[in-house]
Short mmCIF file of all heavy atoms in Angstrom, two decimals:
data_model
loop_
_atom_site.label_atom_id
_atom_site.label_comp_id
_atom_site.label_asym_id
_atom_site.label_seq_id
_atom_site.Cartn_x
_atom_site.Cartn_y
_atom_site.Cartn_z
N HIS A 1 -8.08 36.88 -16.13
CA HIS A 1 -7.35 37.13 -14.89
C HIS A 1 -6.36 38.26 -15.10
O HIS A 1 -5.25 38.07 -15.62
CB HIS A 1 -6.64 35.85 -14.42
CG HIS A 1 -7.59 34.78 -13.97
ND1 HIS A 1 -8.29 33.99 -14.86
CD2 HIS A 1 -7.97 34.39 -12.72
CE1 HIS A 1 -9.05 33.14 -14.18
NE2 HIS A 1 -8.89 33.37 -12.90
N GLU A 2 -6.77 39.43 -14.69
CA GLU A 2 -5.95 40.61 -14.87
C GLU A 2 -4.60 40.45 -14.17
O GLU A 2 -4.52 39.89 -13.07
CB GLU A 2 -6.68 41.83 -14.31
CG GLU A 2 -5.98 43.15 -14.57
CD GLU A 2 -6.78 44.34 -14.06
OE1 GLU A 2 -7.92 44.14 -13.61
OE2 GLU A 2 -6.24 45.47 -14.11
N GLY A 3 -3.56 40.92 -14.82
CA GLY A 3 -2.23 40.89 -14.21
C GLY A 3 -1.46 39.60 -14.42
O GLY A 3 -0.40 39.40 -13.82
N THR A 4 -1.98 38.71 -15.28
CA THR A 4 -1.28 37.44 -15.53
C THR A 4 -0.60 37.38 -16.90
O THR A 4 0.20 36.47 -17.13
CB THR A 4 -2.23 36.24 -15.39
OG1 THR A 4 -3.31 36.37 -16.33
CG2 THR A 4 -2.79 36.15 -13.98
N ASN A 5 -0.91 38.32 -17.78
CA ASN A 5 -0.29 38.31 -19.11
C ASN A 5 1.02 39.10 -19.04
O ASN A 5 1.15 40.18 -19.63
CB ASN A 5 -1.23 38.89 -20.16
CG ASN A 5 -0.72 38.67 -21.58
OD1 ASN A 5 -0.09 37.66 -21.87
ND2 ASN A 5 -0.98 39.61 -22.47
N ASN A 6 2.00 38.55 -18.32
CA ASN A 6 3.26 39.26 -18.14
C ASN A 6 4.41 38.27 -18.01
O ASN A 6 4.21 37.06 -17.91
CB ASN A 6 3.19 40.17 -16.91
CG ASN A 6 2.85 39.43 -15.64
OD1 ASN A 6 3.53 38.47 -15.26
ND2 ASN A 6 1.79 39.85 -14.95
N TYR A 7 5.62 38.82 -18.00
CA TYR A 7 6.84 38.01 -17.99
C TYR A 7 6.92 37.12 -16.75
O TYR A 7 7.20 35.92 -16.84
CB TYR A 7 8.06 38.92 -18.07
CG TYR A 7 9.37 38.18 -18.14
CD1 TYR A 7 9.85 37.70 -19.35
CD2 TYR A 7 10.13 37.95 -16.99
CE1 TYR A 7 11.05 37.01 -19.43
CE2 TYR A 7 11.33 37.27 -17.07
CZ TYR A 7 11.79 36.80 -18.28
OH TYR A 7 12.98 36.11 -18.34
N VAL A 8 6.67 37.71 -15.58
CA VAL A 8 6.83 36.95 -14.34
C VAL A 8 5.87 35.77 -14.30
O VAL A 8 6.27 34.63 -14.00
CB VAL A 8 6.63 37.85 -13.11
CG1 VAL A 8 6.55 37.02 -11.84
CG2 VAL A 8 7.78 38.85 -13.00
N PHE A 9 4.60 35.99 -14.64
CA PHE A 9 3.66 34.87 -14.56
C PHE A 9 3.98 33.81 -15.61
O PHE A 9 3.75 32.62 -15.38
CB PHE A 9 2.21 35.32 -14.71
CG PHE A 9 1.23 34.22 -14.41
CD1 PHE A 9 1.07 33.75 -13.11
CD2 PHE A 9 0.51 33.60 -15.43
CE1 PHE A 9 0.20 32.70 -12.83
CE2 PHE A 9 -0.36 32.56 -15.16
CZ PHE A 9 -0.52 32.10 -13.86
N SER A 10 4.55 34.21 -16.76
CA SER A 10 4.92 33.20 -17.75
C SER A 10 5.95 32.24 -17.18
O SER A 10 5.93 31.03 -17.48
CB SER A 10 5.46 33.87 -19.03
OG SER A 10 6.76 34.40 -18.87
N LYS A 11 6.85 32.75 -16.34
CA LYS A 11 7.88 31.91 -15.74
C LYS A 11 7.35 31.15 -14.52
O LYS A 11 7.77 30.00 -14.26
CB LYS A 11 9.11 32.75 -15.36
CG LYS A 11 9.71 33.48 -16.56
CD LYS A 11 10.02 32.56 -17.74
CE LYS A 11 10.66 33.29 -18.89
NZ LYS A 11 10.95 32.40 -20.05
N VAL A 12 6.44 31.75 -13.76
CA VAL A 12 5.78 31.03 -12.67
C VAL A 12 5.01 29.84 -13.23
O VAL A 12 5.08 28.71 -12.70
CB VAL A 12 4.82 31.97 -11.91
CG1 VAL A 12 3.91 31.19 -10.97
CG2 VAL A 12 5.62 33.02 -11.13
N ALA A 13 4.28 30.07 -14.32
CA ALA A 13 3.53 29.00 -14.97
C ALA A 13 4.47 27.91 -15.48
O ALA A 13 4.20 26.71 -15.33
CB ALA A 13 2.68 29.55 -16.11
N MET A 14 5.59 28.31 -16.06
CA MET A 14 6.55 27.34 -16.59
C MET A 14 7.14 26.49 -15.49
O MET A 14 7.21 25.25 -15.60
CB MET A 14 7.66 28.06 -17.37
CG MET A 14 8.68 27.12 -17.98
SD MET A 14 9.99 28.01 -18.87
CE MET A 14 9.06 28.67 -20.26
N ASN A 15 7.58 27.12 -14.41
CA ASN A 15 8.18 26.37 -13.31
C ASN A 15 7.18 25.38 -12.71
O ASN A 15 7.54 24.24 -12.38
CB ASN A 15 8.67 27.32 -12.22
CG ASN A 15 9.84 28.18 -12.68
OD1 ASN A 15 10.42 27.95 -13.73
ND2 ASN A 15 10.18 29.17 -11.88
N THR A 16 5.94 25.83 -12.57
CA THR A 16 4.90 24.95 -12.02
C THR A 16 4.60 23.81 -12.99
O THR A 16 4.42 22.65 -12.56
CB THR A 16 3.63 25.76 -11.72
OG1 THR A 16 3.95 26.87 -10.89
CG2 THR A 16 2.59 24.90 -11.02
N TYR A 17 4.55 24.11 -14.26
CA TYR A 17 4.31 23.09 -15.28
C TYR A 17 5.38 22.01 -15.24
O TYR A 17 5.09 20.81 -15.29
CB TYR A 17 4.26 23.75 -16.66
CG TYR A 17 4.23 22.81 -17.84
CD1 TYR A 17 3.09 22.07 -18.14
CD2 TYR A 17 5.34 22.69 -18.68
CE1 TYR A 17 3.05 21.22 -19.24
CE2 TYR A 17 5.31 21.85 -19.78
CZ TYR A 17 4.17 21.12 -20.05
OH TYR A 17 4.15 20.28 -21.15
N VAL A 18 6.63 22.43 -15.15
CA VAL A 18 7.74 21.48 -15.09
C VAL A 18 7.61 20.58 -13.86
O VAL A 18 7.75 19.35 -13.95
CB VAL A 18 9.09 22.24 -15.08
CG1 VAL A 18 10.23 21.33 -14.66
CG2 VAL A 18 9.37 22.83 -16.47
N ALA A 19 7.35 21.19 -12.70
CA ALA A 19 7.23 20.40 -11.48
C ALA A 19 6.04 19.45 -11.53
O ALA A 19 6.14 18.29 -11.13
CB ALA A 19 7.11 21.34 -10.28
N TYR A 20 4.91 19.94 -12.03
CA TYR A 20 3.69 19.13 -12.06
C TYR A 20 3.78 18.01 -13.09
O TYR A 20 3.29 16.89 -12.85
CB TYR A 20 2.49 20.04 -12.38
CG TYR A 20 1.17 19.30 -12.34
CD1 TYR A 20 0.54 19.02 -11.14
CD2 TYR A 20 0.57 18.87 -13.52
CE1 TYR A 20 -0.66 18.34 -11.10
CE2 TYR A 20 -0.64 18.18 -13.50
CZ TYR A 20 -1.25 17.92 -12.28
OH TYR A 20 -2.43 17.23 -12.25
N THR A 21 4.40 18.29 -14.22
CA THR A 21 4.45 17.32 -15.32
C THR A 21 5.46 16.22 -15.07
O THR A 21 5.42 15.16 -15.71
CB THR A 21 4.78 18.06 -16.64
OG1 THR A 21 3.81 19.10 -16.83
CG2 THR A 21 4.73 17.15 -17.85
N ALA A 22 6.39 16.42 -14.14
CA ALA A 22 7.47 15.45 -13.92
C ALA A 22 6.93 14.05 -13.64
O ALA A 22 7.49 13.06 -14.14
CB ALA A 22 8.35 15.91 -12.76
N PHE A 23 5.87 13.94 -12.85
CA PHE A 23 5.35 12.62 -12.49
C PHE A 23 4.80 11.89 -13.72
O PHE A 23 5.12 10.72 -13.95
CB PHE A 23 4.26 12.75 -11.43
CG PHE A 23 3.59 11.44 -11.08
CD1 PHE A 23 4.33 10.39 -10.54
CD2 PHE A 23 2.24 11.26 -11.29
CE1 PHE A 23 3.72 9.18 -10.22
CE2 PHE A 23 1.61 10.06 -10.98
CZ PHE A 23 2.35 9.01 -10.45
N ALA A 24 3.97 12.57 -14.50
CA ALA A 24 3.42 11.94 -15.71
C ALA A 24 4.52 11.54 -16.68
O ALA A 24 4.48 10.46 -17.29
CB ALA A 24 2.43 12.89 -16.39
N PHE A 25 5.54 12.40 -16.80
CA PHE A 25 6.66 12.07 -17.67
C PHE A 25 7.43 10.87 -17.12
O PHE A 25 7.83 9.98 -17.88
CB PHE A 25 7.59 13.28 -17.82
CG PHE A 25 7.29 14.14 -19.01
CD1 PHE A 25 5.98 14.37 -19.41
CD2 PHE A 25 8.31 14.74 -19.73
CE1 PHE A 25 5.71 15.17 -20.53
CE2 PHE A 25 8.05 15.53 -20.84
CZ PHE A 25 6.75 15.75 -21.23
N ALA A 26 7.65 10.84 -15.82
CA ALA A 26 8.38 9.71 -15.22
C ALA A 26 7.65 8.40 -15.49
O ALA A 26 8.29 7.36 -15.74
CB ALA A 26 8.55 9.93 -13.72
N GLN A 27 6.33 8.41 -15.44
CA GLN A 27 5.56 7.20 -15.71
C GLN A 27 5.78 6.70 -17.13
O GLN A 27 5.62 5.51 -17.41
CB GLN A 27 4.07 7.47 -15.49
CG GLN A 27 3.69 7.64 -14.02
CD GLN A 27 2.22 7.92 -13.85
OE1 GLN A 27 1.66 8.84 -14.43
NE2 GLN A 27 1.56 7.09 -13.06
N GLN A 28 6.15 7.63 -18.03
CA GLN A 28 6.40 7.27 -19.43
C GLN A 28 7.88 7.13 -19.75
O GLN A 28 8.26 7.01 -20.92
CB GLN A 28 5.79 8.34 -20.34
CG GLN A 28 4.29 8.53 -20.16
CD GLN A 28 3.79 9.71 -20.96
OE1 GLN A 28 3.78 9.70 -22.20
NE2 GLN A 28 3.38 10.77 -20.27
N GLY A 29 8.73 7.19 -18.72
CA GLY A 29 10.16 7.06 -18.94
C GLY A 29 10.77 8.29 -19.57
O GLY A 29 11.81 8.21 -20.24
N MET A 30 10.16 9.47 -19.34
CA MET A 30 10.65 10.73 -19.90
C MET A 30 10.99 11.68 -18.75
O MET A 30 10.67 11.42 -17.59
CB MET A 30 9.61 11.35 -20.83
CG MET A 30 9.18 10.44 -21.96
SD MET A 30 8.16 11.25 -23.23
CE MET A 30 6.78 11.86 -22.28
N ARG A 31 11.62 12.80 -19.09
CA ARG A 31 11.99 13.79 -18.08
C ARG A 31 11.70 15.19 -18.59
O ARG A 31 11.70 15.43 -19.80
CB ARG A 31 13.48 13.69 -17.73
CG ARG A 31 13.91 12.36 -17.14
CD ARG A 31 15.37 12.35 -16.76
NE ARG A 31 16.28 12.50 -17.89
CZ ARG A 31 17.02 13.58 -18.13
NH1 ARG A 31 16.97 14.63 -17.31
NH2 ARG A 31 17.82 13.63 -19.18
N ILE A 32 11.46 16.12 -17.66
CA ILE A 32 11.29 17.53 -18.00
C ILE A 32 11.89 18.38 -16.90
O ILE A 32 11.66 18.13 -15.71
CB ILE A 32 9.81 17.89 -18.25
CG1 ILE A 32 9.68 19.36 -18.69
CG2 ILE A 32 8.93 17.57 -17.04
CD1 ILE A 32 8.30 19.72 -19.23
N ASN A 33 12.69 19.37 -17.27
CA ASN A 33 13.33 20.28 -16.33
C ASN A 33 13.37 21.68 -16.93
O ASN A 33 12.96 21.89 -18.08
CB ASN A 33 14.76 19.81 -16.03
CG ASN A 33 14.81 18.49 -15.30
OD1 ASN A 33 14.48 18.40 -14.12
ND2 ASN A 33 15.20 17.43 -16.01
N ALA A 34 13.84 22.62 -16.14
CA ALA A 34 13.99 23.99 -16.63
C ALA A 34 15.28 24.60 -16.10
O ALA A 34 15.80 24.18 -15.06
CB ALA A 34 12.80 24.85 -16.22
#
């Protein structure tokens, strides 16, 4: 995927990962934020 190996997409991916992972972490009594 051209144009994704850059600083902005690394942070877009991180923010999305944090938001998406929150539910699975909550089920395990854990938390994730950024």
Side-chain angles (χ1 to χ4, degrees):
H1 292 78
E2 186 177 354
T4 59
N5 190 33
N6 58 55
Y7 183 83
V8 170
F9 189 70
S10 74
K11 302 307 182 181
V12 168
M14 181 180 292
N15 293 350
T16 306
Y17 171 72
V18 165
Y20 183 80
T21 305
F23 176 62
F25 267 37
Q27 289 179 305
Q28 301 173 68
M30 304 190 302
R31 298 183 296 110
I32 183 168
N33 294 288

